Amino acid sequence: MSEYLNENVVIFLMIAALLIPIYEACRDVNVWQKMLALASVASKVSILILVVSVLRDDWMIGVVGVLILSVGNAGLMLLAHILKRVNEA
């Protein structure tokens, strides 16, 4: 019983930490600040997926978390460069 309570507390705290960059993205009007906040969200979600996969002992979910962690921010950086080129033109 206590083990499940501790796991739920850890996941709840990770979700609470996930809300901080979402609040920052909603508050700031600068595009680069929003993109940094969203990149932080992507990293936090992938770490959350990895923690859930370890707690459930399901490594297929962990593989998805690793893929999001390794590829997700690359797509965001590509989008940042496209926005930079659009603003320069």
Side-chain angles (χ1 to χ4, degrees), residues 19-85:
L19 295 177
I20 295 169
I22 292 174
Y23 171 73
E24 183 65 26
C26 293
R27 192 177 65 130
D28 205 352
V29 294
N30 189 358
V31 173
W32 294 103
Q33 292 294 326
K34 283 186 178 185
M35 293 189 74
L36 286 173
L38 293 176
S40 176
V41 168
S43 298
K44 285 180 175 60
V45 167
S46 62
I47 296 296
L48 181 63
I49 290 172
L50 288 174
V51 168
V52 168
S53 72
V54 168
L55 292 177
R56 291 185 61 177
D57 197 25
D58 187 359
W59 291 106
M60 294 301 288
I61 298 173
V63 169
V64 172
V66 167
L67 285 175
I68 291 172
L69 188 62
S70 62
V71 178
N73 286 337
L76 195 63
M77 294 308 292
L78 187 64
L79 180 63
H81 282 289
I82 290 171
L83 284 175
K84 184 179 178 182
R85 296 282 174 115

